[in-house]
C-alpha cells in the first residue's frame, strides 16, 4: 500500500511538472514566433530599401552612360563638322587655284579653225614658232573613220573619216603676249581653199556685233571658203564661222561673218535671199544678247508708245465718222386739265 501511494504521488508530481513545463514552453514558442515575425518585417523593409538603393544606383549609372555617349556624339559631330569645313575650305581653295590656272592657260591659248585634214603638228609649229615658244598643240573636231575609235586615237593614228575635210586645233604658248601676237595669222591661206581662223580661246574674248551678220538656211555641207567668196564683194572679211555638229562635222544650217568695217554690214544685208549652193540664204544683223536681256522692258515701252501714236493718228484723221446732233423735242402747248373735286367735298366747302 505504501509503495502504491508513493507511486501515485510521484506520478502526480510528474504530471504537474509536465503541465508546468508545457505552460512554460508555450509562451516561449509564442515569443519566438513573434520575434521571427518582427525580424521578417524588418528584413523585408531592409530588402526593399536595398532594392530601392540598387535601382537608384543603376539609374544613375545609366544616366552617366547616356551622358557620356551624348558627349562622345557631340565631340564626333564637332570633329566631323570641323573636318568637313576644313575639307570644303581646302576644296574651295583648290577649285579657285584650278580656275585661275585655267584662265591663265586660256589666255596663252590660240584657237586655229578651218585647217585641212592633212595638217600636221610640224606645219602648225613652223607657222606659229616665229611668235614665241610653243608649249603644246592639240587637234580637235576630228571625225573618226569608225565609231569604235575615239577622237584621240583617230588623231594619233590619223584614222579620219574620208568625208572629213577640215579640223581645228589649239596652240598653247608659254607667254600670253606671244598668243596675242599670233592673232596676226588670222585669215591667212594655209592651203588652197583653206583660210584659217585664229582667235583667242578665252571666254572673255568679245566679238563686235556691229561688224557681224547672221546667216541662216545654209547648206549642211557648206565650207567656210564658199561663204567667204559669196560675201567678198561686200568688203574685207575678218573671219567666217559656220556652226557645225561636233560628232558628224556637218553644218547646222547657220553661221556668222565678221567684217572689218560696219559699212560692209549694210552691203551684206542686201544679199538677203541671195542663192548660195542652191539655197536662198537669210542675212540678218547680229543682236547683242546682253543688251536685249538688260532692257526687255525698254523695247516693250517703245512698242507701247508706237501703238499709242498710231491710235491717236487714227482718231485724229479726217476720214473718221462724225455723228449728227439730235434735235431737241418741242414741249406740247396743250392746256393743263383742272383737277376735279368730288361733289360731296364741294357741297361741304359751300
Amino acid at each position: 500500500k505504501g509503495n502504491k501511494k508513493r507511486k501515485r504521488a510521484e506520478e502526480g508530481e510528474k504530471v504537474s511538472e509536465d503541465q508546468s513545463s508545457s505552460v512554460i514552453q508555450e509562451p516561449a514558442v509564442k515569443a519566438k514566433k513573434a520575434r521571427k515575425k518582427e525580424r521578417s518585417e524588418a528584413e523585408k523593409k531592409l530588402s526593399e530599401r536595398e532594392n530601392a538603393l540598387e535601382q537608384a544606383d543603376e539609374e544613375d549609372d545609366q544616366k552617366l552612360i547616356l551622358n557620356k555617349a551624348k558627349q562622345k556624339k557631340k565631340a564626333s559631330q564637332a570633329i566631323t563638322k570641323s573636318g568637313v569645313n576644313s575639307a570644303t575650305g581646302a576644296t574651295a581653295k583648290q577649285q579657285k587655284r584650278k580656275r585661275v590656272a585655267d584662265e591663265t592657260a586660256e589666255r596663252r591659248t590660240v584657237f586655229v579653225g578651218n585647217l585641212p585634214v592633212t595638217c600636221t603638228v610640224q606645219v602648225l609649229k613652223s607657222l606659229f614658232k616665229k611668235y614665241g615658244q610653243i608649249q603644246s598643240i592639240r587637234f580637235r573636231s576630228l571625225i573618226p573613220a569608225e565609231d569604235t575609235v575615239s577622237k584621240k586615237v583617230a588623231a594619233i593614228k590619223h584614222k579620219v573619216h574620208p568625208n572629213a575635210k577640215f579640223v581645228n586645233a589649239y596652240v598653247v604658248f608659254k607667254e600670253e603676249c606671244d598668243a596675242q601676237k599670233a592673232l596676226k595669222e588670222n585669215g591667212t591661206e594655209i592651203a588652197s581653199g583653206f583660210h584659217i581662223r585664229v582667235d583667242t580661246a578665252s571666254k572673255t574674248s568679245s566679238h563686235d556685233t556691229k561688224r557681224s551678220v547672221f546667216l541662216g538656211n545654209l547648206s549642211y555641207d557648206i565650207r567656210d571658203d564658199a561663204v567667204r567668196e559669196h560675201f567678198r564683194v561686200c568688203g574685207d572679211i575678218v573671219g567666217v564661222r559656220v556652226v557645225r555638229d561636233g560628232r558628224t562635222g556637218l553644218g547646222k544650217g547657220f553661221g556668222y561673218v565678221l567684217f572689218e568695217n560696219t559699212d560692209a554690214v549694210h552691203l551684206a544685208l542686201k544679199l538677203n535671199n541671195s542663192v548660195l549652193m542652191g539655197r536662198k540664204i537669210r542675212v540678218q544683223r547680229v543682236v547683242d544678247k546682253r543688251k536685249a536681256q538688260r532692257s526687255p522692258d525698254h523695247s516693250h515701252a517703245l512698242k507701247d508708245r508706237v501703238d499709242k501714236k498710231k491710235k491717236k493718228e487714227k482718231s485724229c484723221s479726217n476720214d473718221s465718222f462724225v455723228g449728227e446732233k439730235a434735235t431737241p423735242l418741242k414741249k406740247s402747248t396743250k392746256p393743263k386739265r383742272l383737277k376735279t373735286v368730288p361733289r360731296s367735298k364741294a357741297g361741304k366747302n359751300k
Side-chain angles (χ1 to χ4, degrees):
K1 287 180 181 177
N3 290 330
K4 285 180 181 178
K5 284 180 181 179
R6 284 176 185 173
K7 284 179 182 178
R8 283 176 186 170
E10 286 174 359
E11 286 175 358
E13 286 175 359
K14 282 180 182 179
V15 168
S16 63
E17 283 177 3
D18 292 334
Q19 285 178 354
S20 63
S21 66
S22 65
V23 170
I24 292 163
Q25 283 175 1
E26 281 178 0
V29 170
K30 284 180 181 177
K32 280 181 182 179
K33 285 182 180 178
R35 283 174 188 171
K36 280 182 182 179
K37 281 183 181 178
E38 287 176 358
R39 282 178 185 174
S40 64
E41 285 177 1
E43 284 174 357
K44 280 181 183 179
K45 285 180 181 179
L46 282 168
S47 64
E48 285 176 358
R49 285 178 184 175
E50 286 175 357
N51 291 328
L53 288 167
E54 285 177 359
Q55 285 179 358
D57 291 336
E58 286 177 358
E59 287 177 358
D60 290 336
D61 292 336
Q62 286 178 357
K63 283 180 181 178
L64 285 168
I65 291 161
L66 287 169
N67 288 328
K68 284 180 181 178
K70 283 180 181 178
Q71 285 175 0
K72 282 181 181 179
K73 216 180 210 180
K74 285 180 180 178
S76 64
Q77 283 177 357
I79 289 162
T80 52
K81 278 182 182 178
S82 63
V84 167
N85 290 331
S86 62
T88 50
T91 51
K93 284 180 181 178
Q94 286 175 0
Q95 286 176 358
K96 194 175 181 181
R97 285 173 188 170
K98 192 178 179 182
R99 204 183 303 126
V100 170
D102 291 341
E103 285 176 0
T104 53
E106 281 178 355
R107 290 196 202 102
R108 293 185 289 106
T109 306
V110 168
F111 170 81
V112 185
N114 197 32
L115 290 166
V117 178
T118 55
C119 185
T120 59
V121 175
Q122 286 76 19
V123 173
L124 284 177
K125 273 187 177 178
S126 63
L127 182 66
F128 288 103
K129 68 181 180 182
K130 57 189 173 184
Y131 297 108
Q133 196 172 357
I134 295 168
Q135 190 173 351
S136 65
I137 294 171
R138 306 188 304 271
F139 284 99
R140 292 290 182 269
S141 306
L142 282 164
I143 305 165
E146 298 173 1
D147 294 335
T148 55
V149 180
S150 65
K151 291 183 178 181
K152 192 173 182 180
V153 174
I156 294 164
K157 295 183 177 180
H158 297 285
K159 289 185 177 181
V160 187
H161 199 275
N163 293 333
K165 296 174 183 177
F166 66 93
V167 291
N168 299 324
Y170 287 97
V171 181
V172 184
F173 289 90
K174 284 196 172 180
E175 298 294 333
E176 187 180 341
C177 58
D178 298 337
Q180 293 295 323
K181 291 174 187 175
L183 297 176
K184 294 176 183 177
E185 292 293 328
N186 183 37
T188 57
E189 192 173 2
I190 196 170
S192 61
F194 287 95
H195 291 80
I196 60 172
R197 181 165 60 91
V198 183
D199 194 7
T200 53
S202 61
K203 295 176 183 177
T204 55
S205 62
S206 60
H207 297 279
D208 192 359
T209 55
K210 293 179 181 179
R211 295 186 290 118
S212 304
V213 289
F214 170 81
L215 308 178
N217 198 30
L218 294 172
S219 178
Y220 296 118
D221 57 348
I222 196 167
R223 290 174 61 180
D224 293 2
D225 276 25
V227 178
R228 187 181 285 272
E229 286 294 327
H230 189 74
F231 287 93
R232 193 184 290 277
V233 292
C234 302
D236 294 332
I237 296 169
V238 176
V240 175
R241 184 192 168 201
V242 177
V243 180
R244 302 181 185 276
D245 186 22
R247 190 172 58 84
T248 60
L250 293 170
K252 291 186 177 181
F254 64 96
Y256 301 91
V257 179
L258 178 65
F259 295 98
E260 281 191 1
N261 299 315
T262 54
D263 297 334
V265 174
H266 298 289
L267 296 172
L269 292 171
K270 292 179 180 179
L271 293 176
N272 187 29
N273 292 326
S274 60
V275 179
L276 177 60
M277 291 183 70
R279 281 173 170 263
K280 281 188 177 182
I281 61 170
R282 191 170 68 254
V283 184
Q284 294 175 349
R285 287 184 182 274
V286 178
V287 181
D288 194 353
K289 290 181 181 179
R290 293 175 186 175
K291 288 181 180 178
Q293 286 175 359
R294 282 176 190 171
S295 60
D297 299 331
H298 184 64
S299 60
H300 287 298
L302 287 172
K303 284 182 181 178
D304 293 337
R305 285 177 190 172
V306 171
D307 293 337
K308 282 179 182 178
K309 281 181 181 179
K310 285 180 180 178
K311 284 179 182 178
K312 281 181 182 179
E313 286 174 359
K314 283 182 181 179
S315 63
C316 296
S317 62
N318 294 323
D319 299 332
S320 60
F321 175 77
V322 180
E324 295 179 357
K325 290 183 180 180
T327 55
L329 293 170
K330 292 180 181 180
K331 294 182 180 180
S332 60
T333 56
K334 289 181 181 181
K336 292 181 180 179
R337 287 182 70 183
L338 295 168
K339 291 181 180 179
T340 57
V341 183
R343 291 179 184 179
S344 60
K345 285 185 179 180
K348 284 179 183 178
N349 290 330
K350 285 178 181 179

